[in-house]
């Protein structure tokens, strides 16, 4: 909400009383928690008729510094005419910003103009296409983590690093700077492993299988994951169906020490906080440059204390990476930066032609994961096989396991029930939510999308299937999403169900139905038309 030129119809305005300066010359205002979710952006609200606003020359969308209780928060200023949002003697803060000060509503606070970021000159140089030094990237990452950049400045940095591609040393400098701007965990273990996928494949919940498998073997695997931003579910969203994922850092550390693993949301740990800020800008712009991808992933892994990583790069016509040459270039960049950071990395190129598993959306994906762990007859074979192969590669980081033996060990851990036992222990430790995969709490409304003619499935559009699941309400509505009935190469007859769509609200049903009617995401053709992709497994 930015400054308005006139009052809303029917809004009664009263003049603001003059404000009194404190002994230190600053004007104390009462803090107010404004119930607006501003998605990782700190926002402050002042009334336009507040004497302070007029006297100090504040301007809407400028950066300000709010102080209270010995703490401070940097925020973007919004100006309002509506006293129902903030009164003339109040300073409002968005929910996340308010929580950072740790005070009750009504607590006195002061506001002043924020100093410009010290790295602003370096930002201008990068916009001009110049190469930056290590010190300049560190300064930029620090200012981003401290919320000193406005959304416009953040967007300029993201676009500049996308348009004038960073060289590999600059990517290393940026990654190093992002690590230095947050805290870094130390597990005091010789071997700390992790697995990550670059994303873009719906239903690809292999992490929730890999983690309990490798932890059951005894390896330390502190998995901190993100929530979905533009996808139907992230690992944290799906795990949240089973257990709590927003864990204080102290509790997260206790769980890892007791159980050798965790499956938690990384936002509470302040690991590479600059990355969290950048992601909120990159995703709406649909920009995911190799440089930003490498810096984002590796900074989070190093900050989480991992020193061995298996990285999944899916390749397919509607995946993030569309060709093998592109995948190989990205692999080499990951390997260079990882080597400079002292991480052992195993980059695996996988099949990204279609979604992995059957369900797309938090509840549906949690159902698939638990069925695989339970060795259920309806467990998705592709999800099981991919998870076993990735877990096998990660197990082979253990010097006591010979190369090539990891897959068999992973399979034995899964088939014996040890992986399920470990997962149940993690769920209990993190705070179980009582999920039953056979009575999954799916959204109330359902409709089917059917095959228009006889043939075989020759294509599944990852992007369109993900879009339909999101329009149905996922991930905000955990039980919403898409349940796939057919995969690539499978024969269909006209009228056969390709997938079910679940939605909680009638409006979401219509949004998803209209999108699937325009483009179902499925292509039906002849067997020889199924696209081939050359991957490592």
């Amino acid at each position: 909400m930015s400054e308005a030129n006139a009052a809303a119809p029917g809004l009664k305005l009263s003049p603001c009383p003059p404000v009194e300066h404190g002994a230190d010359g600053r004007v104390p205002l009462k803090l107010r928690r404004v119930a607006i979710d501003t998605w990782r952006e700190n926002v402050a609200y002042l009334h336009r008729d507040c004497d302070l606003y007029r006297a100090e020359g504040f301007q809407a969308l400028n950066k300000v510094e709010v102080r209270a209780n010995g703490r401070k928060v940097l925020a973007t200023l919004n100006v309002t005419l509506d006293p129902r949002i903030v009164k003339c003697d109040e300073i409002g803060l968005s929910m996340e910003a308010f929580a950072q000060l740790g005070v009750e509503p009504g607590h006195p606070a002061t506001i002043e103009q924020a100093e410009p970021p010290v790295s602003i000159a370096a930002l201008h140089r990068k916009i001009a296409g110049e190469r930056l030094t290590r010190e300049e990237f560190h300064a930029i990452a620090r200012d981003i983590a401290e919320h000193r950049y406005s959304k416009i400045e953040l967007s300029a940095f993201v676009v500049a690093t996308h348009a004038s591609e960073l060289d590999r040393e600059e990517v290393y400098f940026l990654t190093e700077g992002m690590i230095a701007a947050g805290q870094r965990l130390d597990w005091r273990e010789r071997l700390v492993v992790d697995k990550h996928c670059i994303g873009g494949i719906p239903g690809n919940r292999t992490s929730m299988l890999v983690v309990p498998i490798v932890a059951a073997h005894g390896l330390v695997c502190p998995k901190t994951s993100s929530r979905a931003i533009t996808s139907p579910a992230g690992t944290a969203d799906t795990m949240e169906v089973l257990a709590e994922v927003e864990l204080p850092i102290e509790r997260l550390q206790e769980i890892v020490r007791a159980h050798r693993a965790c499956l938690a949301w990384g936002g509470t740990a302040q690991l590479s906080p600059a990355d969290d800020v950048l992601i909120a800008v990159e995703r709406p712009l649909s920009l995911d440059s190799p440089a930003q991808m490498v810096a984002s992933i590796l900074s989070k892994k190093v900050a989480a204390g991992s020193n061995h990583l298996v990285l999944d790069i899916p390749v397919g016509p509607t995946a993030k990476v569309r060709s093998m040459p592109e995948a190989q270039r990205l692999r080499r960049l990951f390997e260079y930066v990882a080597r400079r950071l002292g991480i052992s990395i195993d980059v695996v190129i996988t099949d990204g032609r279609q979604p992995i598993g059957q369900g797309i959306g938090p509840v549906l994906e949690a159902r698939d994961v638990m069925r695989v762990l339970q060795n259920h007859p309806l467990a998705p074979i592709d999800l099981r096989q991919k998870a076993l192969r990735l877990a096998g590669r990660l197990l082979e980081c253990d010097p006591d396991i010979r190369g090539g033996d990891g897959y068999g060990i992973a399979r034995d851990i899964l088939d014996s029930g040890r992986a399920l036992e470990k997962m149940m222990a993690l769920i209990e430790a993190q705070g179980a939510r009582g999920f039953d995969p056979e009575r999954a709490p799916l959204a109330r409304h359902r409709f089917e999308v059917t095959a228009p003619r006889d043939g075989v499935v020759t294509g599944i559009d990852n992007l369109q299937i993900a879009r339909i699941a999101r329009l149905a309400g996922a991930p905000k509505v955990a039980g919403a999403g898409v349940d796939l009935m057919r995969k690539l190469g499978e024969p269909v007859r006209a009228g056969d169900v390709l997938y079910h769509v679940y939605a909680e609200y009638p409006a979401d049903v219509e949004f998803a139905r209209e999108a699937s009617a325009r483009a179902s995401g499925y292509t039906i053709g002849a067997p020889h038309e199924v696209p081939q992709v050359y991957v490592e497994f």
Side-chain angles (χ1 to χ4, degrees):
M1 180 186 306
S2 58
E3 183 173 353
N5 293 321
L11 182 62
K12 294 181 180 180
L13 300 178
S14 56
C16 287
V19 295
E20 297 183 4
H21 287 69
D24 60 357
R26 293 180 175 176
V27 178
L29 298 172
K30 298 173 186 175
L31 266 175
R32 182 167 182 170
R33 180 180 179 273
V34 179
I36 297 177
D37 182 357
T38 53
W39 182 238
R40 294 183 181 172
E41 182 179 12
N42 294 336
V43 178
Y45 302 87
L46 275 182
H47 196 286
R48 193 185 68 174
D49 291 333
C50 174
D51 277 358
L52 178 66
Y53 168 66
R54 293 181 295 196
E56 300 295 333
F58 289 108
Q59 184 175 342
L61 303 184
N62 278 1
K63 279 286 184 179
V64 294
E65 186 174 279
V66 181
R67 293 178 177 267
N69 195 33
R71 300 181 185 179
K72 67 177 181 180
V73 63
L74 289 164
T76 301
L77 179 64
N78 278 209
V79 181
T80 180
L81 282 164
D82 192 341
R84 293 171 298 184
I85 298 175
V86 285
K87 298 177 183 177
C88 297
D89 61 347
E90 293 178 325
I91 171 70
L93 285 176
S94 55
M95 294 189 295
E96 188 170 319
F98 188 91
Q100 292 172 38
L101 292 177
V103 297
E104 294 296 320
H107 193 284
T110 59
I111 180 173
E112 58 188 65
Q113 307 261 6
E115 291 293 324
V118 296
S119 64
I120 199 71
L123 171 62
H124 291 159
R125 288 186 57 220
K126 179 45 68 179
I127 292 171
E130 297 182 34
R131 188 179 186 278
L132 301 186
T133 65
R134 168 188 268 123
E135 291 72 22
E136 288 171 322
F137 274 112
H138 277 238
I140 288 173
R142 188 164 53 247
D143 282 339
I144 290 173
E146 293 175 356
H147 296 276
R148 294 191 176 277
Y149 277 18
S150 68
K151 274 287 177 71
I152 294 171
E153 290 163 339
L154 286 169
S155 299
F157 177 71
V158 168
V159 172
T161 54
H162 180 81
S164 55
E165 187 63 59
L166 305 184
D167 66 39
R168 64 181 193 171
E169 192 168 44
E170 284 186 296
V171 178
Y172 166 63
F173 292 156
L174 175 60
T175 310
E176 195 182 48
M178 290 167 67
I179 296 166
Q183 63 176 326
R184 186 169 175 175
L185 302 179
D186 183 0
W187 301 105
R188 303 191 182 282
E189 294 270 355
R190 178 182 58 83
L191 187 62
V192 181
V193 303
D194 204 344
K195 170 264 163 191
H196 194 87
C197 177
I198 67 168
I201 306 299
N204 193 24
R205 290 283 77 82
T206 54
S207 291
M208 292 177 65
L209 298 166
V210 171
V211 170
I213 289 172
V214 300
H217 177 74
L219 298 182
V220 178
C221 188
K223 181 65 177 173
T224 57
S225 304
S226 61
R227 292 188 182 277
I229 296 178
T230 59
S231 65
T235 298
D237 301 300
T238 306
M239 185 63 185
E240 194 169 38
V241 172
L242 308 176
E244 298 291 337
V245 295
E246 296 190 11
L247 306 175
I249 187 65
E250 297 80 11
R251 186 175 166 203
L252 184 148
Q253 290 174 313
E254 289 174 4
I255 291 170
V256 173
R257 292 192 180 101
H259 300 281
R260 310 295 283 176
C262 68
L263 278 158
W265 178 54
T268 55
Q270 284 294 296
L271 306 176
S272 187
D275 181 50
D276 295 327
V277 178
L278 286 171
I279 284 174
V281 174
E282 290 166 359
R283 297 297 171 82
L285 292 173
S286 297
L287 292 178
D288 203 1
S289 69
Q292 292 286 354
M293 186 189 299
V294 170
S296 171
I297 292 171
L298 292 184
S299 66
K300 280 282 173 62
K301 299 309 167 188
V302 173
S306 300
N307 50 36
H308 285 69
L309 173 66
V310 168
L311 182 74
D312 174 15
I313 300 182
V315 178
T318 57
K320 283 186 179 180
V321 176
R322 307 291 175 89
S323 69
M324 282 301 292
E326 185 182 352
Q328 295 290 3
R329 286 193 297 271
L330 186 58
R331 166 191 256 167
R332 288 192 292 271
L333 182 57
F334 267 109
E335 290 173 342
Y336 171 81
V337 176
R339 185 169 61 252
R340 293 286 300 269
L341 293 169
I343 306 175
S344 173
I345 189 169
D346 179 11
V347 180
V348 186
I349 299 172
T350 62
D351 186 350
R353 295 173 299 167
Q354 62 180 331
I356 300 295
Q358 183 178 333
I360 298 163
V363 166
L364 289 163
E365 294 179 29
R367 178 204 65 189
D368 285 358
V369 166
M370 294 309 297
R371 282 179 172 176
V372 172
L373 287 168
Q374 294 168 349
N375 295 300
H376 193 285
L378 295 179
I381 298 300
D382 58 346
L383 179 61
R384 171 188 162 92
Q385 288 301 107
K386 183 171 183 179
L388 285 175
R389 292 186 182 279
L390 290 171
R393 298 286 279 258
L394 207 50
L395 288 172
E396 288 170 13
C397 297
D398 185 343
D400 293 332
I401 296 179
R402 292 184 303 175
D405 289 349
Y407 176 85
I409 294 171
R411 184 187 57 209
D412 290 344
I413 292 171
L414 180 61
D415 290 347
S416 67
R418 290 167 57 202
L420 175 61
E421 182 181 349
K422 176 59 70 174
M423 183 60 146
M424 297 308 294
L426 290 176
I427 289 171
E428 189 65 30
Q430 292 185 201
R433 295 198 161 183
F435 177 77
D436 181 356
E438 300 313 305
R439 295 176 178 83
L442 296 171
R444 290 179 296 168
H445 303 287
R446 187 184 86 168
F447 68 88
E448 299 171 347
V449 175
T450 59
R453 59 180 178 275
D454 296 354
V456 301
V457 178
T458 59
I460 303 179
D461 188 328
N462 290 306
L463 297 173
Q464 181 64 3
I465 294 296
R467 181 170 181 269
I468 291 168
R470 283 188 64 87
L471 288 170
K476 287 191 175 181
V477 178
V482 171
D483 205 12
L484 303 177
M485 298 291 109
R486 294 289 189 274
K487 288 296 190 77
L488 278 178
E490 292 187 14
V492 294
R493 299 186 68 85
D496 283 353
V497 177
L498 298 175
Y499 55 85
H500 300 285
V501 179
Y502 291 89
E504 185 67 19
Y505 305 106
D508 292 344
V509 172
E510 291 310 309
F511 291 145
R513 194 192 301 274
E514 290 173 8
S516 62
R518 287 193 296 269
S520 70
Y522 271 65
T523 304
I524 309 300
H528 69 273
E529 295 174 324
V530 178
Q532 300 300 311
V533 60
Y534 300 98
V535 295
E536 296 180 6
F537 64 79

